[in-house]
Amino acid sequence: KLASREFKPDDTVIRIGDVTIGGEEIQVMAGPCAVESREQLLEVAEMVRERGARILRGGAFKPRTSPYAFQGLEEKGLEYLAEAREKTGLLIVTEVMDTQKVAMVAQYADILQIGARNMQNFPLLREVAKCNKPVLLKRGLSATIEEWIMAAEYIMVSGNHQVILCERGIRTFESFTRNTLDLSAVPVIKELSHLPVIVDPSHSTGKWKLVQPMARSAIAAGADGLIIEVHPKPSEALCDGPQSVTPERFSSIMEDLQKMAVAM
Ligand code: PEP
Ligand code: MN
């Protein structure tokens, strides 16, 4: 299997310009859940860049549970992301939900995100493989590690070996947290696969207070990076406010990571 350690013993390092994912450095992808406006996005982009992030996240197409909830700014959102890249030099990661939108999203994004709800959308996996850009593949809400790796295999067998796995929590009986962060998936993936793996402490917990301790834990477990939701005013966020950290809290997380890098 293409994703397996047996097939390729050495770690895959994904390079985009001077940013590497899966190498020595810990990469942090940060930004709002959704691109809400030009002002909001440019403000967050500047804030996360100043604090050391190299990659900006932000959804323009949002997979919302309710069809009445904010669905994203669509192509306008992608334009704002591209403008934020111009202004800050940050790379862009953004979700694509529809096979017919892959080419369009790929024009703007540096990394294409496949959301948890689409982990086994096989036509979409084959389609994202066609554009020559790294793919961030989130673990499905109730996917086993084996199923998750097989989803990566779909992308790889279709010709794109640049896959980044993202543990974002799984559904369990526990309801205090939004999902249950399966941190053991990180060393398991490292054993079974050569692909980089990052952790999403925002969607896995659903609570901003838990983001910082779980971010530290993810790095201790061996993750290659993090994807964190940051919002200038979480209480006013159109999406996922309760799990979004303020820029101040984000600074504190980045300081923790610095300390851990020195200690490890
Ligand atoms: C997101 O990253 O905004 C998102 C919708 O995540 P997930 O697919 O993991 O729920
Ligand atoms: Mn979100």
Side-chain angles (χ1 to χ4, degrees):
K1 308 262 170 48
L2 300 170
S4 74
R5 262 292 166 209
E6 281 145 45
F7 177 76
K8 182 173 177 288
D10 52 317
D11 287 344
T12 287
V13 180
I14 291 169
R15 290 192 172 77
I16 315 167
D18 66 341
V19 175
T20 59
I21 303 160
E24 299 286 295
E25 265 177 80
I26 297 295
Q27 285 306 341
V28 178
M29 311 179 181
C33 178
V35 179
E36 297 172 3
S37 68
R38 181 172 175 272
E39 294 66 35
Q40 173 242 21
L41 188 72
L42 295 178
E43 185 183 348
V44 191
E46 198 55 54
M47 282 169 172
V48 301
R49 189 199 56 79
E50 278 170 12
R51 291 161 172 83
R54 304 293 311 274
I55 304 168
L56 176 67
R57 67 146 288 145
F61 295 94
K62 296 303 304 175
R64 304 303 299 278
T65 298
S66 165
Y68 308 113
F70 176 60
Q71 304 284 305
L73 297 181
E74 306 191 344
E75 192 161 10
K76 201 85 217 143
L78 297 174
E79 286 170 14
Y80 297 151
L81 286 164
E83 187 181 348
R85 173 177 48 210
E86 283 285 303
K87 291 212 157 79
T88 61
L90 290 165
L91 298 174
I92 303 300
V93 57
T94 196
E95 178 164 354
V96 58
M97 300 199 296
D98 180 345
T99 47
Q100 297 191 35
K101 300 266 163 60
V102 170
M104 190 234 277
V105 176
Q107 281 178 16
Y108 298 90
D110 299 291
I111 302 171
L112 294 161
Q113 177 175 332
I114 298 294
R117 289 155 193 79
N118 276 315
M119 189 202 82
Q120 285 185 317
N121 181 338
F122 302 121
L124 184 61
L125 298 178
R126 289 193 188 279
E127 197 63 30
V128 288
K130 288 187 196 157
C131 41
N132 202 12
K133 302 233 164 151
V135 177
L136 179 69
L137 178 64
K138 294 193 118 189
R139 182 178 183 178
L141 281 77
S142 55
T144 65
I145 293 173
E146 203 60 46
E147 288 163 343
W148 185 20
I149 294 176
M150 287 313 274
E153 199 72 21
Y154 264 89
I155 301 169
M156 298 175 83
V157 78
S158 307
N160 186 347
H161 289 211
Q162 301 186 87
V163 180
I164 305 154
L165 299 169
C166 176
E167 163 61 41
R168 48 79 70 206
I170 50 178
R171 186 158 284 192
T172 68
F173 60 84
E174 180 54 69
S175 59
F176 188 85
T177 47
R178 183 177 180 182
N179 291 287
T180 296
L181 177 54
D182 180 12
L183 265 189
S184 59
V186 173
V188 171
I189 289 291
K190 288 281 168 201
E191 182 178 336
L192 299 178
S193 178
H194 53 84
L195 294 172
V197 57
I198 69 165
V199 167
D200 178 341
S202 308
H203 293 89
S204 55
T205 64
K207 290 182 150 73
W208 67 267
K209 267 193 189 177
L210 297 176
V211 170
Q212 186 163 18
M214 291 302 98
R216 288 194 298 254
S217 309
I219 300 309
D224 295 299
L226 298 162
I227 182 164
I228 301 177
E229 288 187 342
V230 183
H231 197 284
K233 292 198 190 71
S235 63
E236 290 170 21
L238 295 181
C239 184
D240 289 349
Q243 68 193 34
S244 298
V245 295
T246 59
E248 294 69 39
R249 177 68 53 158
F250 182 66
S251 293
S252 173
I253 294 171
M254 294 302 276
E255 282 165 21
D256 283 353
L257 300 186
Q258 282 294 333
K259 284 181 213 152
M260 290 182 79
V262 172
M264 279 162 77

